[in-house]
Amino acid sequence: MILEMKNIVKTYGKVVANDNVSIDLNEGEILAIVGENGAGKSTIMKILYGLEKPDSGEIFVKGKKVSFNSPLDAMKLNIGMVQQHFMLFGPMSVTENIVYNNEVSRRGFFDWKGNREKVRELSGKYGLNVDPDALINDCSVGTQQRVEILKTLYQNADIIIFDEPSAVLTPGEVDELLSTMKNLAKAGKSLILITHKLNEVMEVADRVTVMRSGKVIGTVNKKDTSTDELSYMMIGRHTSQLNIPDMKTGKRLLEVEHLSMGSALGKKVLNDVSLHVDAGEIVGIAGVSGNGQSEMIRCITGLEKQYEGKVLVCDQDVSNQGVSIIRKAGMSHIPEDRYLWGSAREASLSDNFLMGEEDSDAFSSHGILKQKTIDRHADRLIDEYAIKTDGCRQKMKELSGGNAQKVITAREIERDCPLTIACEPTRGIDIGAMEFVHERLVNKRDNGGGVLLVSSELSEILKLSDRIYVMYEGHLNYEFRHGEVDDRKLGRLMLGGKADE
Amino acid sequence: MNKIMNKIGNSNILFSLMAILAGLLVGGVIMAITGQNPVEGILGLLKGGYLTSYAIASTLTRATPIIFAGLSAALAWGSGYSSMGAQGQMIIGAITAAIVAPRLGFLPPFLAVIITLIFSMTAGALYSLISAHISAKYDAYLLIVTLMFNYLADYLASYLTNYVFLDPVALDKLAIQTIKIEGSILPRIFPRYTTHYGFLIALIAVAATAFIINKTSFGYKARMGGLNAGFAEYGGIDSRKTMYKVLLLSGALAGLGGACEVLGTKFRYVDKMITSPGYSWSGITASLMSNYNIIGVLFSSIFLSGIAIGGSTIELSMNIPSEITQIIQGVITMLVTAKFVIRWHRKENGRKEAETK
Ligand SMILES: Nc1ncnc2c1ncn2[C@@H]1O[C@H](COP(=O)(O)OP(=O)(O)OP(=O)(O)O)[C@@H](O)[C@H]1O
Ligand SMILES: [Mg+2]
């Protein structure tokens, strides 16, 4: 046994994030930790990586009792962590990032050749492909993650923690990550994987520890379990089949005509994009991220105003208009990045729920906020979406990742407007809550609303969408109705393949 | 150690208290080195700053302009606009008061004071708006523009005092000052103590600003813009409109502070009366110490003012040079500013990190 955490307790004020949690890890295995949002998964890993100090409990690494004050201590004990928000220097090269703090130098100077060799050697040994001279800013998210992994390997990590590593990756990158993880385990590294995607668990894990409300519910061998059993252990009930009734579509809610946008390099990021969303339908955009989805959404939602083409929301021409006009025309928007756009981490939940409505008669009169109504509204959404929090005055940054996402998703779905642009609405959300969010999206559609859904989860697109567009290199290449296409075919088209192959 | 630093970095009150402690410690050490009794010195400083009725009165008097400058800075910085313009706006407010008040002698004093205050507020607000507009129009750093406007205000006030409104019958021929205001002034609250009604106005300003920031939809927009500009933009908040409103208000507060200083303590504009005591820097430090919390500005301003008053007391009574007090203040300012720089750096880094994705 390479690692043992015994009876770890960690409280934040009244909240018990970890309640007598014990976890052990064998050498060369992959242990998955699963559990609902706010179960305490990230907390126990932050403790292991020295980012948080436990109130009580013991940690043994290779049989020796240890304690941490900072990640530096953890690194000294060969523990590494691949963080969800990467800790990389954007304007510097891959090599510099990997060897940072421990570089080879010659006569006091940075030895490019030596360092590059080391990076090559490592990347070859574990099959992690990177270009040592590329700048981080030019790398895809998947590559940046590989750099993070190489960084931990360079620091001789034997235990590597992955906290929801696949949340930001494209499906292809996820496959690559999973096979990398298997390689690492084969090479004798011991890995811990936190994820909400049970298929990933079934693919790579040896054992699975399930957490709920700060406690460990149980640990099972992957061989002896199934996704059904795991999800039952996680949320205490079986997942149900979502019922999506047939709907007649109504009037046009969103019309995008010949949208085009160039980049600084003169290349077209968006190339003649036309689409529409009608009342009573969910329209999915399938595509490998980086093919123009983000830019398209920014244009439609008013965050980007420099483009050619037309955008109409509820018959109102909002081309090249700003956010507030478009929102007033009848649109809400779940943004793809929850911290960059979607929330203010230092603000309270009430403040976060209020965004976009601060001037509405419901929440203010004569410019003065109706704080009681605002708080009541916040409490209602917290309750409905089962957001785990101390109350509406808690700061956003104190919520677990999935609960923070729920705040944003709830705010935008429950806004009183016909059209919702939903980008990754369930990123980081647990299975139970994901079901609920799907239900609410379908409910919106059933009540005559419309949803434009962008998701890197193909299963989500296939399950919910009445129509699906395939986006590739800034253009919508294909359009299908629900049931006309399966994930294999969609996957091929997303990579630029032809429909009749 | 890292961990402790992190904790402190995140807990603002704790950090400010540590900074204060460190400042006093350094002051004590220097007193010891220069042959003074540090314990007596520090105790004397605290007593002279906070513990006698006379000390309290002087401290509150000095705190008054600092509170206004602090409010002005906290409002702007807390909303994400790096304005350093409090000083210039205070000067403009002060010179406006010195020009307007003597010409309102025909009105009842109360009315004259109110009108003067309104003039000064407007002048400060306009002055702030001009710098805001230049910064927005030419895409120049607000920080730089406001700093330049501080110099401009200072020279402008000097010029006006010297060449247009100089007091011709001043006893002290070397003093560059405007004529004395008779009647329409802010009187003392208690005759024996220097604290004047300007302090009460400052209290009202604190309450009003706190109300605006925390309870109005404009305040909400300003706060969210300060916490995450991306979030505000995404939500449809017009950042330019918010910036103009915030800086207008911030300038009005500073202008009001300048007027109170003229009407409450000097009764005229004296050249460099705002710049040389460093009111606006103390105000900015106070706003950093309180992490832009409006109510917090009140307390940190009073604290900083007390250090200065206590310092001059021990200079007189114990012959401890005022440089030591300045060092104490310097250490506190430096630590508080360092925290601020670290946070700014983190924020910038965070932004870059997000951009790389
Ligand atoms: N800094 C903090 N202050 C207060 N409470 C906190 C803080 N950090 C975490 N918590 C609370 O501790 C609990 C566990 O959080 P944690 O981040 O470990 O959950 P998680 O299992 O990783 O959830 P998710 O799947 O959503 O990422 C949550 O209820 C959260 O609100
Ligand atoms: Mg988590």
Side-chain angles (χ1 to χ4, degrees), chain A residues 69 86 137 323-324 327 333 339-343 351 355 358-359 367 369 411-412, chain B residues 3 215-217 220-221 223-224 227-228 230-231 233-237 353-354 356-357:
Chain A
N69 284 316
F86 303 140
N137 280 339
V323 175
S324 65
R327 277 188 181 261
H333 171 205
Y339 296 124
L340 186 62
W341 303 104
S343 62
D351 281 344
M355 181 49 80
E358 66 278 356
D359 284 326
L369 297 175
R411 177 184 68 215
E412 300 301 318
Chain B
K3 173 84 187 181
K215 307 269 189 228
T216 68
S217 61
Y220 174 80
K221 292 177 196 173
R223 263 189 304 131
M224 292 305 121
L227 292 176
N228 179 359
F231 183 46
E233 187 192 351
Y234 147 89
I237 291 172
E353 213 176 275
T356 59
K357 287 229 196 94

mmCIF file of all heavy atoms in Angstrom, chain A residues 69 86 137 323-324 327 333 339-343 351 355 358-359 367 369 411-412, chain B residues 3 215-217 220-221 223-224 227-228 230-231 233-237 353-354 356-357:
data_model
loop_
_atom_site.group_PDB
_atom_site.id
_atom_site.type_symbol
_atom_site.label_atom_id
_atom_site.label_comp_id
_atom_site.label_asym_id
_atom_site.label_seq_id
_atom_site.Cartn_x
_atom_site.Cartn_y
_atom_site.Cartn_z
ATOM 1 N N ASN A 69 2.393 20.944 4.812
ATOM 2 C CA ASN A 69 2.016 22.337 4.989
ATOM 3 C C ASN A 69 1.752 23.027 3.674
ATOM 4 O O ASN A 69 1.120 24.067 3.625
ATOM 5 C CB ASN A 69 3.100 23.079 5.754
ATOM 6 C CG ASN A 69 3.042 22.739 7.232
ATOM 7 O OD1 ASN A 69 1.957 22.708 7.801
ATOM 8 N ND2 ASN A 69 4.173 22.431 7.809
ATOM 9 N N PHE A 86 -5.293 24.845 -15.024
ATOM 10 C CA PHE A 86 -3.877 24.556 -15.183
ATOM 11 C C PHE A 86 -3.014 25.673 -14.617
ATOM 12 O O PHE A 86 -3.339 26.833 -14.699
ATOM 13 C CB PHE A 86 -3.549 24.356 -16.664
ATOM 14 C CG PHE A 86 -4.368 23.284 -17.306
ATOM 15 C CD1 PHE A 86 -4.854 23.438 -18.589
ATOM 16 C CD2 PHE A 86 -4.676 22.121 -16.616
ATOM 17 C CE1 PHE A 86 -5.625 22.452 -19.183
ATOM 18 C CE2 PHE A 86 -5.452 21.132 -17.202
ATOM 19 C CZ PHE A 86 -5.932 21.294 -18.485
ATOM 20 N N ASN A 137 0.674 29.000 -24.812
ATOM 21 C CA ASN A 137 -0.486 29.709 -25.357
ATOM 22 C C ASN A 137 -0.946 29.155 -26.700
ATOM 23 O O ASN A 137 -2.085 29.344 -27.091
ATOM 24 C CB ASN A 137 -0.189 31.200 -25.501
ATOM 25 C CG ASN A 137 -0.331 31.916 -24.174
ATOM 26 O OD1 ASN A 137 -1.001 31.411 -23.275
ATOM 27 N ND2 ASN A 137 0.290 33.065 -24.050
ATOM 28 N N VAL A 323 -24.897 42.803 -25.165
ATOM 29 C CA VAL A 323 -25.575 41.782 -24.381
ATOM 30 C C VAL A 323 -26.945 42.237 -23.877
ATOM 31 O O VAL A 323 -27.927 41.507 -23.995
ATOM 32 C CB VAL A 323 -24.707 41.375 -23.176
ATOM 33 C CG1 VAL A 323 -25.464 40.408 -22.285
ATOM 34 C CG2 VAL A 323 -23.406 40.765 -23.644
ATOM 35 N N SER A 324 -27.020 43.445 -23.339
ATOM 36 C CA SER A 324 -28.254 43.804 -22.644
ATOM 37 C C SER A 324 -29.431 43.861 -23.615
ATOM 38 O O SER A 324 -30.536 43.440 -23.271
ATOM 39 C CB SER A 324 -28.085 45.123 -21.897
ATOM 40 O OG SER A 324 -27.886 46.171 -22.794
ATOM 41 N N ARG A 327 -30.381 40.228 -24.407
ATOM 42 C CA ARG A 327 -31.070 39.603 -23.278
ATOM 43 C C ARG A 327 -32.510 40.092 -23.208
ATOM 44 O O ARG A 327 -33.430 39.325 -22.966
ATOM 45 C CB ARG A 327 -30.343 39.903 -21.977
ATOM 46 C CG ARG A 327 -29.186 38.961 -21.719
ATOM 47 C CD ARG A 327 -28.612 39.179 -20.333
ATOM 48 N NE ARG A 327 -27.488 38.287 -20.087
ATOM 49 C CZ ARG A 327 -27.578 37.161 -19.401
ATOM 50 N NH1 ARG A 327 -28.717 36.797 -18.877
ATOM 51 N NH2 ARG A 327 -26.517 36.400 -19.232
ATOM 52 N N HIS A 333 -28.410 32.769 -21.176
ATOM 53 C CA HIS A 333 -27.158 32.210 -21.695
ATOM 54 C C HIS A 333 -26.361 31.562 -20.575
ATOM 55 O O HIS A 333 -25.958 32.231 -19.631
ATOM 56 C CB HIS A 333 -26.366 33.372 -22.349
ATOM 57 C CG HIS A 333 -24.965 33.022 -22.734
ATOM 58 N ND1 HIS A 333 -23.982 33.969 -22.851
ATOM 59 C CD2 HIS A 333 -24.374 31.836 -23.026
ATOM 60 C CE1 HIS A 333 -22.847 33.391 -23.194
ATOM 61 N NE2 HIS A 333 -23.057 32.100 -23.307
ATOM 62 N N TYR A 339 -16.151 30.473 -14.471
ATOM 63 C CA TYR A 339 -15.525 31.515 -13.653
ATOM 64 C C TYR A 339 -15.149 32.756 -14.461
ATOM 65 O O TYR A 339 -15.168 33.863 -13.947
ATOM 66 C CB TYR A 339 -14.305 30.963 -12.917
ATOM 67 C CG TYR A 339 -14.686 29.894 -11.934
ATOM 68 C CD1 TYR A 339 -14.120 28.629 -11.983
ATOM 69 C CD2 TYR A 339 -15.663 30.146 -10.970
ATOM 70 C CE1 TYR A 339 -14.498 27.633 -11.086
ATOM 71 C CE2 TYR A 339 -16.044 29.167 -10.073
ATOM 72 C CZ TYR A 339 -15.462 27.911 -10.139
ATOM 73 O OH TYR A 339 -15.843 26.947 -9.260
ATOM 74 N N LEU A 340 -14.802 32.580 -15.719
ATOM 75 C CA LEU A 340 -14.417 33.733 -16.531
ATOM 76 C C LEU A 340 -15.619 34.624 -16.815
ATOM 77 O O LEU A 340 -15.556 35.846 -16.687
ATOM 78 C CB LEU A 340 -13.810 33.236 -17.844
ATOM 79 C CG LEU A 340 -13.223 34.300 -18.773
ATOM 80 C CD1 LEU A 340 -12.077 34.997 -18.092
ATOM 81 C CD2 LEU A 340 -12.750 33.667 -20.070
ATOM 82 N N TRP A 341 -16.745 34.040 -17.195
ATOM 83 C CA TRP A 341 -17.925 34.807 -17.545
ATOM 84 C C TRP A 341 -19.071 34.600 -16.567
ATOM 85 O O TRP A 341 -19.842 35.511 -16.291
ATOM 86 C CB TRP A 341 -18.473 34.387 -18.924
ATOM 87 C CG TRP A 341 -17.529 34.498 -20.053
ATOM 88 C CD1 TRP A 341 -16.867 33.478 -20.661
ATOM 89 C CD2 TRP A 341 -17.127 35.685 -20.733
ATOM 90 N NE1 TRP A 341 -16.093 33.955 -21.673
ATOM 91 C CE2 TRP A 341 -16.239 35.308 -21.746
ATOM 92 C CE3 TRP A 341 -17.461 37.041 -20.581
ATOM 93 C CZ2 TRP A 341 -15.659 36.217 -22.605
ATOM 94 C CZ3 TRP A 341 -16.887 37.947 -21.437
ATOM 95 C CH2 TRP A 341 -15.990 37.533 -22.435
ATOM 96 N N GLY A 342 -19.209 33.379 -16.096
ATOM 97 C CA GLY A 342 -20.474 32.974 -15.490
ATOM 98 C C GLY A 342 -20.735 33.428 -14.084
ATOM 99 O O GLY A 342 -21.876 33.382 -13.622
ATOM 100 N N SER A 343 -19.706 33.880 -13.363
ATOM 101 C CA SER A 343 -19.949 34.189 -11.956
ATOM 102 C C SER A 343 -18.881 35.130 -11.422
ATOM 103 O O SER A 343 -17.861 35.355 -12.053
ATOM 104 C CB SER A 343 -19.917 32.890 -11.135
ATOM 105 O OG SER A 343 -18.645 32.291 -11.238
ATOM 106 N N ASP A 351 -26.059 37.565 -5.056
ATOM 107 C CA ASP A 351 -25.548 38.462 -6.089
ATOM 108 C C ASP A 351 -25.370 37.719 -7.407
ATOM 109 O O ASP A 351 -25.637 38.254 -8.477
ATOM 110 C CB ASP A 351 -24.196 39.058 -5.669
ATOM 111 C CG ASP A 351 -24.376 40.206 -4.685
ATOM 112 O OD1 ASP A 351 -25.502 40.712 -4.579
ATOM 113 O OD2 ASP A 351 -23.382 40.577 -4.027
ATOM 114 N N MET A 355 -27.643 38.486 -11.399
ATOM 115 C CA MET A 355 -27.051 39.067 -12.608
ATOM 116 C C MET A 355 -28.016 39.098 -13.797
ATOM 117 O O MET A 355 -28.658 38.108 -14.135
ATOM 118 C CB MET A 355 -25.789 38.281 -12.974
ATOM 119 C CG MET A 355 -25.063 38.785 -14.191
ATOM 120 S SD MET A 355 -24.761 40.564 -14.193
ATOM 121 C CE MET A 355 -23.331 40.701 -13.114
ATOM 122 N N GLU A 358 -30.901 42.934 -12.377
ATOM 123 C CA GLU A 358 -30.801 43.945 -11.322
ATOM 124 C C GLU A 358 -31.687 45.158 -11.591
ATOM 125 O O GLU A 358 -32.039 45.886 -10.669
ATOM 126 C CB GLU A 358 -29.338 44.361 -11.111
ATOM 127 C CG GLU A 358 -28.692 45.094 -12.277
ATOM 128 C CD GLU A 358 -28.194 44.144 -13.359
ATOM 129 O OE1 GLU A 358 -28.277 42.920 -13.171
ATOM 130 O OE2 GLU A 358 -27.740 44.636 -14.402
ATOM 131 N N ASP A 359 -32.082 45.360 -12.844
ATOM 132 C CA ASP A 359 -32.945 46.501 -13.146
ATOM 133 C C ASP A 359 -34.409 46.098 -13.362
ATOM 134 O O ASP A 359 -35.240 46.938 -13.672
ATOM 135 C CB ASP A 359 -32.439 47.225 -14.407
ATOM 136 C CG ASP A 359 -31.217 48.072 -14.098
ATOM 137 O OD1 ASP A 359 -31.157 48.611 -12.981
ATOM 138 O OD2 ASP A 359 -30.324 48.173 -14.951
ATOM 139 N N GLY A 367 -34.413 51.984 -8.589
ATOM 140 C CA GLY A 367 -32.973 51.810 -8.439
ATOM 141 C C GLY A 367 -32.529 51.204 -7.128
ATOM 142 O O GLY A 367 -31.347 51.011 -6.895
ATOM 143 N N LEU A 369 -32.455 48.003 -4.601
ATOM 144 C CA LEU A 369 -32.652 46.559 -4.683
ATOM 145 C C LEU A 369 -33.651 46.085 -3.633
ATOM 146 O O LEU A 369 -33.639 46.551 -2.500
ATOM 147 C CB LEU A 369 -31.316 45.845 -4.462
ATOM 148 C CG LEU A 369 -30.225 46.116 -5.490
ATOM 149 C CD1 LEU A 369 -28.930 45.435 -5.059
ATOM 150 C CD2 LEU A 369 -30.639 45.638 -6.871
ATOM 151 N N ARG A 411 -29.754 29.740 -12.747
ATOM 152 C CA ARG A 411 -30.074 31.139 -13.016
ATOM 153 C C ARG A 411 -30.585 31.315 -14.442
ATOM 154 O O ARG A 411 -31.594 31.976 -14.676
ATOM 155 C CB ARG A 411 -28.822 31.990 -12.803
ATOM 156 C CG ARG A 411 -29.021 33.476 -13.134
ATOM 157 C CD ARG A 411 -27.707 34.233 -12.986
ATOM 158 N NE ARG A 411 -26.738 33.845 -13.992
ATOM 159 C CZ ARG A 411 -25.430 33.772 -13.790
ATOM 160 N NH1 ARG A 411 -24.927 34.067 -12.620
ATOM 161 N NH2 ARG A 411 -24.622 33.403 -14.755
ATOM 162 N N GLU A 412 -29.904 30.708 -15.390
ATOM 163 C CA GLU A 412 -30.228 30.973 -16.791
ATOM 164 C C GLU A 412 -31.429 30.157 -17.274
ATOM 165 O O GLU A 412 -32.202 30.632 -18.083
ATOM 166 C CB GLU A 412 -29.003 30.720 -17.665
ATOM 167 C CG GLU A 412 -27.816 31.612 -17.300
ATOM 168 C CD GLU A 412 -28.125 33.103 -17.402
ATOM 169 O OE1 GLU A 412 -28.773 33.510 -18.366
ATOM 170 O OE2 GLU A 412 -27.728 33.856 -16.482
ATOM 171 N N LYS B 3 1.676 28.555 3.636
ATOM 172 C CA LYS B 3 0.288 28.345 4.031
ATOM 173 C C LYS B 3 -0.198 29.520 4.886
ATOM 174 O O LYS B 3 -1.270 30.067 4.665
ATOM 175 C CB LYS B 3 0.257 27.033 4.812
ATOM 176 C CG LYS B 3 -1.043 26.724 5.430
ATOM 177 C CD LYS B 3 -1.958 26.061 4.442
ATOM 178 C CE LYS B 3 -3.304 25.964 5.119
ATOM 179 N NZ LYS B 3 -4.288 25.342 4.331
ATOM 180 N N LYS B 215 -26.961 48.624 -1.668
ATOM 181 C CA LYS B 215 -28.418 48.482 -1.725
ATOM 182 C C LYS B 215 -29.053 48.946 -3.027
ATOM 183 O O LYS B 215 -30.260 48.846 -3.173
ATOM 184 C CB LYS B 215 -29.057 49.289 -0.579
ATOM 185 C CG LYS B 215 -28.508 48.970 0.795
ATOM 186 C CD LYS B 215 -29.312 47.877 1.453
ATOM 187 C CE LYS B 215 -28.894 47.739 2.897
ATOM 188 N NZ LYS B 215 -28.642 46.396 3.329
ATOM 189 N N THR B 216 -28.274 49.491 -3.932
ATOM 190 C CA THR B 216 -28.904 49.959 -5.174
ATOM 191 C C THR B 216 -28.442 49.112 -6.364
ATOM 192 O O THR B 216 -27.410 48.439 -6.288
ATOM 193 C CB THR B 216 -28.544 51.426 -5.472
ATOM 194 O OG1 THR B 216 -27.155 51.489 -5.794
ATOM 195 C CG2 THR B 216 -28.828 52.321 -4.285
ATOM 196 N N SER B 217 -29.204 49.170 -7.439
ATOM 197 C CA SER B 217 -28.827 48.365 -8.594
ATOM 198 C C SER B 217 -27.588 48.962 -9.266
ATOM 199 O O SER B 217 -26.764 48.238 -9.818
ATOM 200 C CB SER B 217 -29.984 48.236 -9.582
ATOM 201 O OG SER B 217 -30.358 49.490 -10.050
ATOM 202 N N TYR B 220 -24.800 47.549 -7.325
ATOM 203 C CA TYR B 220 -24.618 46.146 -7.713
ATOM 204 C C TYR B 220 -23.759 46.053 -8.972
ATOM 205 O O TYR B 220 -22.804 45.289 -9.037
ATOM 206 C CB TYR B 220 -25.982 45.503 -7.938
ATOM 207 C CG TYR B 220 -25.914 44.100 -8.484
ATOM 208 C CD1 TYR B 220 -25.655 43.032 -7.633
ATOM 209 C CD2 TYR B 220 -26.084 43.851 -9.836
ATOM 210 C CE1 TYR B 220 -25.583 41.743 -8.128
ATOM 211 C CE2 TYR B 220 -26.010 42.567 -10.340
ATOM 212 C CZ TYR B 220 -25.763 41.513 -9.490
ATOM 213 O OH TYR B 220 -25.679 40.248 -9.985
ATOM 214 N N LYS B 221 -24.104 46.888 -9.958
ATOM 215 C CA LYS B 221 -23.337 46.859 -11.209
ATOM 216 C C LYS B 221 -21.877 47.211 -10.954
ATOM 217 O O LYS B 221 -20.963 46.589 -11.490
ATOM 218 C CB LYS B 221 -23.934 47.840 -12.213
ATOM 219 C CG LYS B 221 -25.295 47.422 -12.708
ATOM 220 C CD LYS B 221 -25.854 48.480 -13.627
ATOM 221 C CE LYS B 221 -27.346 48.253 -13.807
ATOM 222 N NZ LYS B 221 -27.993 49.317 -14.541
ATOM 223 N N ARG B 223 -20.198 46.940 -8.137
ATOM 224 C CA ARG B 223 -19.526 45.875 -7.382
ATOM 225 C C ARG B 223 -19.172 44.704 -8.283
ATOM 226 O O ARG B 223 -18.061 44.173 -8.243
ATOM 227 C CB ARG B 223 -20.440 45.378 -6.261
ATOM 228 C CG ARG B 223 -20.155 46.003 -4.920
ATOM 229 C CD ARG B 223 -20.940 45.320 -3.828
ATOM 230 N NE ARG B 223 -22.373 45.315 -4.086
ATOM 231 C CZ ARG B 223 -23.138 44.233 -3.993
ATOM 232 N NH1 ARG B 223 -22.620 43.077 -3.649
ATOM 233 N NH2 ARG B 223 -24.427 44.311 -4.240
ATOM 234 N N MET B 224 -20.127 44.257 -9.085
ATOM 235 C CA MET B 224 -19.868 43.098 -9.939
ATOM 236 C C MET B 224 -18.768 43.414 -10.951
ATOM 237 O O MET B 224 -17.909 42.581 -11.226
ATOM 238 C CB MET B 224 -21.143 42.672 -10.675
ATOM 239 C CG MET B 224 -22.212 42.094 -9.780
ATOM 240 S SD MET B 224 -21.637 40.712 -8.786
ATOM 241 C CE MET B 224 -21.949 41.346 -7.161
ATOM 242 N N LEU B 227 -15.578 42.999 -9.157
ATOM 243 C CA LEU B 227 -15.214 41.629 -8.788
ATOM 244 C C LEU B 227 -14.851 40.785 -10.010
ATOM 245 O O LEU B 227 -13.948 39.966 -9.954
ATOM 246 C CB LEU B 227 -16.371 40.961 -8.029
ATOM 247 C CG LEU B 227 -16.651 41.548 -6.649
ATOM 248 C CD1 LEU B 227 -17.864 40.888 -6.020
ATOM 249 C CD2 LEU B 227 -15.442 41.374 -5.742
ATOM 250 N N ASN B 228 -15.584 40.951 -11.096
ATOM 251 C CA ASN B 228 -15.265 40.208 -12.311
ATOM 252 C C ASN B 228 -15.862 40.936 -13.508
ATOM 253 O O ASN B 228 -17.063 40.830 -13.778
ATOM 254 C CB ASN B 228 -15.804 38.777 -12.216
ATOM 255 C CG ASN B 228 -15.509 37.971 -13.472
ATOM 256 O OD1 ASN B 228 -14.914 38.478 -14.425
ATOM 257 N ND2 ASN B 228 -15.917 36.718 -13.490
ATOM 258 N N GLY B 230 -15.606 40.378 -16.583
ATOM 259 C CA GLY B 230 -16.170 39.466 -17.574
ATOM 260 C C GLY B 230 -17.602 39.094 -17.240
ATOM 261 O O GLY B 230 -18.477 39.050 -18.105
ATOM 262 N N PHE B 231 -17.847 38.845 -15.973
ATOM 263 C CA PHE B 231 -19.188 38.495 -15.497
ATOM 264 C C PHE B 231 -20.151 39.651 -15.749
ATOM 265 O O PHE B 231 -21.269 39.449 -16.233
ATOM 266 C CB PHE B 231 -19.102 38.174 -14.001
ATOM 267 C CG PHE B 231 -20.402 37.725 -13.372
ATOM 268 C CD1 PHE B 231 -21.206 36.783 -13.986
ATOM 269 C CD2 PHE B 231 -20.783 38.244 -12.137
ATOM 270 C CE1 PHE B 231 -22.387 36.357 -13.385
ATOM 271 C CE2 PHE B 231 -21.958 37.827 -11.532
ATOM 272 C CZ PHE B 231 -22.764 36.885 -12.157
ATOM 273 N N GLU B 233 -19.912 42.026 -17.972
ATOM 274 C CA GLU B 233 -20.148 42.168 -19.403
ATOM 275 C C GLU B 233 -21.126 41.099 -19.886
ATOM 276 O O GLU B 233 -22.084 41.379 -20.615
ATOM 277 C CB GLU B 233 -18.823 42.045 -20.161
ATOM 278 C CG GLU B 233 -18.967 42.345 -21.633
ATOM 279 C CD GLU B 233 -17.728 41.942 -22.424
ATOM 280 O OE1 GLU B 233 -16.704 41.592 -21.813
ATOM 281 O OE2 GLU B 233 -17.805 41.956 -23.659
ATOM 282 N N TYR B 234 -20.890 39.891 -19.438
ATOM 283 C CA TYR B 234 -21.750 38.773 -19.819
ATOM 284 C C TYR B 234 -23.197 39.008 -19.389
ATOM 285 O O TYR B 234 -24.136 38.602 -20.065
ATOM 286 C CB TYR B 234 -21.185 37.487 -19.192
ATOM 287 C CG TYR B 234 -22.215 36.460 -18.802
ATOM 288 C CD1 TYR B 234 -22.634 35.496 -19.716
ATOM 289 C CD2 TYR B 234 -22.771 36.458 -17.533
ATOM 290 C CE1 TYR B 234 -23.581 34.568 -19.363
ATOM 291 C CE2 TYR B 234 -23.720 35.535 -17.180
ATOM 292 C CZ TYR B 234 -24.130 34.578 -18.098
ATOM 293 O OH TYR B 234 -25.078 33.673 -17.739
ATOM 294 N N GLY B 235 -23.366 39.682 -18.249
ATOM 295 C CA GLY B 235 -24.711 39.921 -17.734
ATOM 296 C C GLY B 235 -25.396 41.118 -18.383
ATOM 297 O O GLY B 235 -26.546 41.393 -18.077
ATOM 298 N N GLY B 236 -24.667 41.835 -19.220
ATOM 299 C CA GLY B 236 -25.284 42.954 -19.912
ATOM 300 C C GLY B 236 -25.096 44.289 -19.227
ATOM 301 O O GLY B 236 -25.798 45.248 -19.517
ATOM 302 N N ILE B 237 -24.144 44.367 -18.302
ATOM 303 C CA ILE B 237 -23.892 45.640 -17.637
ATOM 304 C C ILE B 237 -23.019 46.502 -18.553
ATOM 305 O O ILE B 237 -21.988 46.044 -19.051
ATOM 306 C CB ILE B 237 -23.194 45.408 -16.282
ATOM 307 C CG1 ILE B 237 -24.185 44.751 -15.319
ATOM 308 C CG2 ILE B 237 -22.668 46.709 -15.713
ATOM 309 C CD1 ILE B 237 -23.574 44.307 -14.023
ATOM 310 N N GLU B 353 -4.486 33.137 -17.676
ATOM 311 C CA GLU B 353 -4.707 31.707 -17.662
ATOM 312 C C GLU B 353 -6.013 31.379 -18.379
ATOM 313 O O GLU B 353 -6.093 30.484 -19.189
ATOM 314 C CB GLU B 353 -4.812 31.261 -16.210
ATOM 315 C CG GLU B 353 -4.274 29.889 -15.954
ATOM 316 C CD GLU B 353 -4.347 29.624 -14.480
ATOM 317 O OE1 GLU B 353 -3.413 30.018 -13.759
ATOM 318 O OE2 GLU B 353 -5.358 29.081 -14.063
ATOM 319 N N ALA B 354 -7.017 32.177 -18.045
ATOM 320 C CA ALA B 354 -8.320 31.924 -18.645
ATOM 321 C C ALA B 354 -8.253 32.153 -20.151
ATOM 322 O O ALA B 354 -8.878 31.451 -20.927
ATOM 323 C CB ALA B 354 -9.364 32.833 -18.013
ATOM 324 N N THR B 356 -5.745 31.628 -22.076
ATOM 325 C CA THR B 356 -5.022 30.591 -22.798
ATOM 326 C C THR B 356 -5.930 29.424 -23.137
ATOM 327 O O THR B 356 -5.611 28.622 -23.982
ATOM 328 C CB THR B 356 -3.846 30.041 -21.969
ATOM 329 O OG1 THR B 356 -4.369 29.518 -20.761
ATOM 330 C CG2 THR B 356 -2.820 31.088 -21.700
ATOM 331 N N LYS B 357 -7.037 29.318 -22.432
ATOM 332 C CA LYS B 357 -7.903 28.158 -22.655
ATOM 333 C C LYS B 357 -8.677 28.252 -23.950
ATOM 334 O O LYS B 357 -9.184 29.295 -24.269
ATOM 335 C CB LYS B 357 -8.898 28.073 -21.497
ATOM 336 C CG LYS B 357 -8.186 27.607 -20.281
ATOM 337 C CD LYS B 357 -8.939 26.476 -19.636
ATOM 338 C CE LYS B 357 -8.448 26.257 -18.230
ATOM 339 N NZ LYS B 357 -9.293 27.011 -17.339
#
